[in-house]
């Protein structure tokens, strides 16, 4: 049986989805009234955005609302309760993003921002919108490489092919296990803009699907040996890196310096 806390989180999560889905239509955004409510909101989703504004007249408030309208399904809430501010180390009007994938909190202090407009805030939220499994594109690439987690596990596959969805499911199932240790990245091999990523690993579209690992600290990369991609093989590949065994192996790809 579910505990009361577990049931509360499930109900709260459903309410969060409903509020997020229709806030653009009715102009309402979830308002957090205390610490338990704020924590439940953060725990209910992979990425949560909270606008900490003292009043609706605060600098950046209207721009924040304009940005939220562009973000569609991104879970967003507002909070003016100082008890909640203290819990998350907020001292002044701030937009905060809470992520589970890398166990990170990103804070944008509006008093320190050089320029504030809806488009700029939307870009800030887009760049930092990192999930357990994040699809690689020009915007998310910035957030991925800015993350404190520098190890990326990449699933390079042609999205839409019959093999793609089962492989993505393997990724989705494994990613939470490595939260804070690795970022799981989906690279759509069908996108021409992703050709450089494949080249970086010495691959062509005809070689897909493949699993690659990039370590930003050492600037080195490895490929999982060709063959069937299974949960066990991917997990062993990840664990071999975390155990330091993979680093003892020579890189299997060309020694180029092409940036992603």
């Amino acid at each position: 049986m579910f505990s009361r806390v577990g049931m509360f989180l499930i109900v709260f999560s459903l309410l969060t989805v409903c509020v997020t889905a229709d806030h653009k239509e009715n102009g309402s955004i979830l308002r957090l009234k205390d610490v338990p409510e704020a924590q439940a909101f953060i725990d209910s989703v992979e990425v949560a955005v909270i606008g900490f504004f003292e009043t609706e007249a605060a600098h950046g408030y209207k721009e924040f609302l304009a940005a939220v309208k562009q973000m569609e399904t991104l879970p967003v809430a507002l909070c003016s309760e100082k008890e909640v501010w203290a819990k998350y180390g907020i001292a002044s009007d701030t937009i905060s993003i809470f992520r589970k994938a890398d166990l990170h909190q990103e804070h944008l202090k509006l008093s320190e921002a050089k320029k504030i407009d809806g488009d700029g805030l939307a870009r800030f939220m887009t760049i930092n919108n990192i999930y357990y499994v994040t699809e690689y594109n020009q915007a998310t690439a910035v957030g991925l490489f800015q993350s404190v987690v520098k190890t990326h596990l990449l699933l390079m596959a042609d999205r839409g092919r019959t093999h793609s969805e089962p492989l993505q499911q393997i990724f989705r199932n494994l990613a939470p296990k490595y939260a804070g240790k690795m970022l799981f990245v989906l690279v759509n091999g069908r996108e021409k803009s992703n050709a450089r990523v494949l080249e970086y690993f010495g691959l062509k579209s005809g070689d897909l699907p493949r699993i690659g690992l990039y370590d930003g600290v050492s600037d080195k990369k490895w490929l999982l040996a060709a063959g069937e991609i299974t949960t066990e093989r991917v997990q062993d590949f990840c664990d071999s890196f975390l155990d330091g065994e993979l680093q003892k192996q020579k890189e299997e790809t060309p020694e180029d310096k092409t940036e992603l």
Side-chain angles (χ1 to χ4, degrees):
M1 295 179 63
F2 289 111
S3 66
R4 290 185 177 181
V5 174
M7 184 61 69
F8 173 71
L9 285 175
I10 292 174
V11 174
F12 193 92
S13 178
L14 293 174
L15 289 174
T16 298
V17 172
C18 293
V19 170
T20 303
D22 66 13
H23 76 255
K24 291 176 67 178
E25 296 180 5
N26 61 27
S28 65
I29 296 180
L30 180 66
R31 293 178 181 270
L32 306 173
K33 300 179 178 61
D34 54 36
V35 171
E37 192 169 284
Q39 193 61 54
F41 171 66
I42 294 170
D43 290 343
S44 68
V45 290
E46 290 184 36
V47 180
V49 178
I50 301 179
F52 293 97
F53 292 97
E54 194 163 4
T55 69
E56 294 184 2
H59 180 54
Y61 180 83
K62 291 182 179 179
E63 290 81 1
F64 177 70
L65 296 186
V68 166
K69 289 183 179 180
Q70 300 181 43
M71 298 308 296
E72 299 180 351
T73 59
L74 185 63
V76 178
L78 287 164
C79 183
S80 59
E81 300 299 324
K82 292 302 176 71
E83 177 189 7
V84 181
W85 287 34
K87 165 69 175 178
Y88 299 107
I90 306 300
S92 61
D93 295 331
T94 300
I95 297 173
S96 298
I97 298 178
F98 300 81
R99 302 191 302 238
K100 288 183 178 178
D102 56 359
L103 309 178
H104 181 66
Q105 299 176 22
E106 187 72 28
H107 302 294
L108 176 62
K109 297 181 181 179
L110 296 172
S111 61
E112 298 178 0
K114 295 180 179 179
K115 179 182 179 182
I116 299 177
D117 58 51
D119 290 341
L121 294 183
R123 176 170 172 75
F124 167 74
M125 288 187 273
T126 300
I127 287 174
N128 289 285
N129 197 14
I130 299 175
Y131 290 86
Y132 281 133
V133 177
T134 303
E135 182 156 0
Y136 185 90
N137 55 49
Q138 289 184 344
T140 60
V142 177
L144 288 168
F145 283 99
Q146 286 181 348
S147 172
V148 294
V149 176
K150 301 302 181 184
T151 304
H152 302 167
L153 187 75
L154 292 82
L155 167 59
M156 294 168 279
D158 287 344
R159 191 172 180 178
R161 295 276 181 89
T162 55
H163 65 247
S164 180
E165 183 54 38
L167 296 180
Q168 289 183 51
Q169 190 58 53
I170 289 176
F171 244 44
R172 285 191 288 269
N173 291 341
L174 281 176
K177 175 182 175 67
Y178 296 95
K181 301 175 183 177
M182 293 183 180
L183 297 179
F184 280 50
V185 184
L186 175 63
V187 179
N188 184 4
R190 285 191 172 185
E191 292 289 339
K192 292 183 178 180
S193 58
N194 291 336
R196 295 184 67 189
V197 179
L198 303 188
E199 291 173 4
Y200 183 76
F201 281 90
L203 298 171
K204 297 180 180 179
S205 59
D207 299 322
L208 305 184
R210 292 294 297 271
I211 298 287
L213 188 148
Y214 170 74
D215 177 39
V217 176
S218 63
D219 192 29
K220 290 186 177 181
K221 55 195 177 294
W222 298 267
L223 279 172
L224 176 64
E228 183 183 2
I229 297 174
T230 64
T231 297
E232 293 73 19
R233 290 190 72 216
V234 175
Q235 186 167 321
D236 287 346
F237 188 57
C238 294
D239 291 343
S240 68
F241 175 82
L242 296 176
D243 294 340
E245 293 301 316
L246 189 62
Q247 291 86 324
K248 297 177 184 179
Q249 300 178 19
K250 183 179 180 181
E251 288 187 90
E252 297 181 21
T253 52
E255 291 288 343
D256 56 38
K257 289 295 181 180
T258 304
E259 294 184 0
L260 301 186

